[in-house]
Amino acid sequence: MNLNQEIARRRTFAIISHPDAGKTTLTEKLLLYGGAILLAGSVKARRAERSATSDWMKIEQERGISVTSTVLQFEYEGFRVNLLDTPGHQDFGEDTYRTLMAADAAIMLLDGGKGVEPVTEKLYAVCKMRQIPVFTFINKMDRPALEPLQLHDEIRAKLGLENTPFNWPIGNGPAFCGVVNRFSKEVTLFERQEAGSKEALARSASLDDPAVESRIGIEGIQKIREELQMLETMTLPLDLELVMSGQLSPVFFGSAVTNFGVEELLRAFLSMAPPPGPRQSDQGPIDPSSPFFSGFVFKTQANMDPRHRDRIAFIRVCSGKFEGGMETLNARSQKTVRLSNPKEFFGRERGTISEGYAGDVLGIMNQGQLQIGDSLSAGKVVRFPGIPRFSPEHFCILRCAPSARKAFNKGLDELLQEGAVQGLRDPAASGNDMILGAVGPLQFEVMQYRLKNEYRSDTSMDSMPYKIARWVSGSSEDLAALKGASTVRLVEDMNGHTVGLFRDIWSMESVVKNNPKLVFSPIAPTG
Ligand code: G4P
């Protein structure tokens, strides 16, 4: 296969959802189709196994949440699928946000009984910012669910996202009979299996098929026909151009746990979702099929396996072909980085890969030379825009004993580079105390735990009352005027940008209103 064919068959995406909507379950079922795992349950089993290889993962195990994200790769009907697995718990939002910077599309998973939930809203905001296509899967239709039109309206109202059904559910909960494809009008019947079996039987037939009639009756068929008619007037046609630009989301209904509707989702997603496209850079858009290798680091992870005390940088390939051992230039540091022993990840397991193409993700051993947002290229120097930092929602002050300052600084420096927690300093305050900000407070615990276990640094922590951070830019006079405001605390991020901390939305809004010449952004300037 040549370079263009390899790139054309790649699909790189992430699943966004609120915790408990069924992301692990859906991931597992998708992997089953790719033959990547033989038994459903393996992803969860791996989640449990992790604790054997990493001490600090104990926190994850105790809380029953997934802390780190990995990349899952599989083949399906000629496609090479890269599923960027994102931490599901709301405490790990920023890591998830960053992973979305490496995805070309997203599957937005909603619990049919709950609709659009808060974490989904936050993650969708990043997809919207990036204008990537979003495909919606409404899960748990085997349980009582909201009316499909209500879900349709909620997606529009809460996310501002136009959406249109690809298939349409026939009932829900105990009365769930299956889905009807809006375009082919083919019905896929949902048949519960006997107790003990989780998988549902799925049988496809036309609306006129006697099997459909015997399952849902003549009245049921009439109702479906009316509903399909109604959809034509009440919802938009499936305009692929709008889907590609992220303005229209095709909606699928199903039940991941019973594996119902998952293959239809996968097939339709792969046929509609885009292959890797051009990426903006300081050299203009870089076409994925450009002959030279380029990529950027979207995540780094220290000490994934404490036996090796290594650090891994995850690189999204943007153009050309990657070959093991190749030399690249880091545009930030201007240093040569040899990409030796690149790793391919499946959960916690690692295999070595010898080649990769635009859309793929490589894990490279990193001794600190690579940072989030770094651009790497071979043959031509390219800089991709940096990875933005997103507003933390929890803040604390971290202190250490003066005697342990050296280990503390080293640990802090390395862990902050991973980006799960942001470091902030108050230039007006004395001492070396560090203000930490995170999207979820559990990250502070993880930080403290890792400082102690990996860097032998005991710390104490006091939470702070702030809830919102905004990066503030404007003239030095306007910024100076802001310093007097009592409702904002001004600090600096690690790049020296001014950040305003607020206790609540109202104090933020009043400060924004009273300082019209300043720009307040929920996303950090890159660089
Ligand atoms: P998450 O990764 O998004 O947090 O969710 P996860 O897949 O772990 O699923 C959360 C719960 O929802 C699980 O139940 C799972 O079995 C259930 N679930 C997922 N998809 C469906 C579905 O389509 N229908 C129904 N009825 N349930 C679904 P649990 O009791 O927490 O765990 P377990 O049953 O796997 O032990």
Side-chain angles (χ1 to χ4, degrees):
M1 236 181 273
N2 64 29
L3 181 68
N4 283 328
Q5 289 166 326
E6 283 288 3
I7 293 165
R9 74 189 194 95
R10 275 162 166 75
R11 297 291 181 276
T12 302
F13 73 103
I15 302 176
I16 61 169
S17 65
H18 192 85
D20 230 30
K23 186 158 68 73
T24 310
T25 311
L26 179 65
T27 302
E28 205 164 78
K29 302 292 177 182
L30 291 173
L31 292 177
L32 271 173
Y33 285 110
I37 49 173
L38 294 177
L39 283 175
S42 311
V43 173
K44 276 200 172 164
R46 276 164 204 281
R47 211 152 74 166
E49 274 167 25
R50 284 179 194 171
S51 57
T53 53
S54 176
D55 263 344
W56 66 271
M57 294 285 175
K58 271 183 199 148
I59 296 185
E60 169 188 28
Q61 202 194 14
E62 279 159 16
R63 303 282 186 119
I65 56 170
S66 162
V67 176
T68 53
S69 62
T70 46
V71 185
L72 305 164
Q73 294 163 324
F74 61 94
E75 298 271 336
Y76 182 79
E77 294 189 342
F79 288 99
R80 167 82 169 187
V81 186
N82 292 312
L83 169 51
L84 307 179
D85 190 20
T86 47
H89 196 275
Q90 53 187 332
D91 278 349
F92 296 88
E94 180 145 21
D95 213 14
T96 314
Y97 293 152
R98 263 195 297 275
T99 298
L100 288 174
M101 303 305 287
D104 296 327
I107 290 182
M108 177 168 77
L109 175 73
L110 305 181
D111 180 332
K114 296 186 173 157
V116 177
E117 296 179 84
V119 176
T120 312
E121 279 187 67
K122 289 183 192 170
L123 295 173
Y124 173 69
V126 182
C127 298
K128 190 170 185 169
M129 180 184 91
R130 292 208 49 227
Q131 300 177 333
I132 56 174
V134 173
F135 297 75
T136 304
F137 184 72
I138 300 192
N139 192 26
K140 304 198 186 183
M141 291 305 295
D142 58 306
R143 282 201 191 151
L146 302 171
E147 282 302 316
L149 274 182
Q150 191 183 340
L151 289 159
H152 168 80
D153 290 342
E154 195 171 305
I155 296 169
R156 292 180 72 200
K158 283 197 175 169
L159 304 177
L161 175 61
E162 282 295 354
N163 62 97
T164 199
F166 186 90
N167 60 28
W168 191 247
I170 309 171
N172 65 67
F176 182 55
C177 295
V179 292
V180 55
N181 183 299
R182 177 180 172 187
F183 307 103
S184 69
K185 315 280 189 247
E186 199 174 64
V187 177
T188 309
L189 291 172
F190 173 84
E191 314 263 8
R192 280 173 216 269
Q193 292 260 57
E194 68 279 2
S197 171
K198 271 200 158 180
E199 306 277 300
L201 277 179
R203 212 154 33 116
S204 295
S206 90
L207 259 179
D208 305 316
D209 195 297
V212 176
E213 192 185 309
S214 73
R215 179 82 165 84
I216 52 184
I218 294 184
E219 281 173 15
I221 292 178
Q222 187 52 31
K223 187 165 174 266
I224 293 171
R225 289 192 198 282
E226 284 165 17
E227 286 182 348
L228 288 176
Q229 198 113 50
M230 172 202 71
L231 291 183
E232 298 313 313
T233 51
M234 292 192 63
T235 61
L236 292 171
L238 186 64
D239 179 333
L240 270 185
E241 253 178 56
L242 292 179
V243 174
M244 284 308 106
S245 57
Q247 296 176 75
L248 178 68
S249 178
V251 180
F252 302 79
F253 292 83
S255 158
V257 79
T258 58
N259 207 7
F260 185 85
V262 176
E263 194 165 24
E264 185 173 23
L265 168 76
L266 180 61
R267 283 227 167 92
F269 170 78
L270 291 176
S271 67
M272 283 188 267
R279 283 252 164 189
Q280 273 309 329
S281 80
D282 64 341
Q283 306 292 311
I286 302 294
D287 196 84
S289 58
S290 308
F292 64 92
F293 168 86
S294 68
F296 65 89
V297 178
F298 66 94
K299 173 184 166 70
T300 66
Q301 172 77 57
N303 307 333
M304 281 175 92
D305 184 345
R307 282 173 304 187
H308 301 295
R309 291 192 65 83
D310 51 15
R311 303 174 74 197
I312 307 252
F314 290 89
I315 298 163
R316 149 83 198 219
V317 182
C318 295
S319 72
K321 182 179 178 185
F322 157 82
E323 281 168 64
M326 77 191 300
E327 284 196 349
T328 62
L329 186 82
N330 182 341
R332 175 186 55 82
S333 65
Q334 292 291 309
K335 293 211 170 106
T336 302
V337 179
R338 180 186 282 276
L339 303 182
S340 37
N341 286 328
K343 302 292 178 195
E344 179 176 58
F345 290 86
F346 183 88
R348 209 127 281 276
E349 282 168 21
R350 304 173 189 182
T352 299
I353 48 170
S354 53
E355 58 178 48
Y357 298 87
D360 288 344
V361 169
L362 315 167
I364 300 288
M365 291 300 173
N366 171 28
Q367 272 86 46
Q369 75 275 35
L370 293 176
Q371 293 179 9
I372 292 167
D374 278 357
S375 301
L376 298 172
S377 52
K380 182 173 180 179
V381 184
V382 171
R383 276 187 190 81
F384 295 105
I387 305 255
R389 304 245 30 185
F390 298 88
S391 172
E393 291 168 26
H394 299 269
F395 301 86
C396 72
I397 290 190
L398 186 70
R399 301 190 175 88
C400 82
S403 56
R405 175 133 325 260
K406 211 170 150 203
F408 173 76
N409 284 342
K410 180 175 190 295
L412 204 56
D413 189 42
E414 292 189 5
L415 296 178
L416 285 178
Q417 268 185 34
E418 285 180 28
V421 172
Q422 302 193 30
L424 302 163
R425 282 188 195 284
D426 184 344
S430 57
N432 285 323
D433 295 346
M434 178 65 94
I435 298 176
L436 300 182
V439 170
L442 183 55
Q443 276 299 346
F444 298 147
E445 264 179 67
V446 173
M447 184 90 166
Q448 254 191 314
Y449 186 93
R450 293 183 65 185
L451 280 169
K452 183 173 168 58
N453 285 277
E454 294 167 24
Y455 300 94
R456 306 269 161 253
S457 174
D458 279 311
T459 52
S460 66
M461 210 171 255
D462 288 324
S463 64
M464 299 172 87
Y466 307 108
K467 288 276 168 283
I468 300 172
R470 288 289 178 267
W471 278 266
V472 193
S473 51
S475 70
S476 41
E477 298 88 70
D478 291 326
L479 277 169
L482 189 63
K483 282 192 181 133
S486 60
T487 42
V488 54
R489 174 152 176 190
L490 292 181
V491 295
E492 279 179 5
D493 71 8
M494 301 312 275
N495 295 318
H497 298 300
T498 303
V499 181
L501 306 182
F502 305 88
R503 284 170 184 254
D504 50 47
I505 187 98
W506 301 280
S507 44
M508 182 193 80
E509 282 173 355
S510 85
V511 168
V512 170
K513 198 165 149 237
N514 294 332
N515 294 274
K517 287 193 190 151
L518 292 171
V519 178
F520 295 82
S521 170
I523 297 174
T526 51

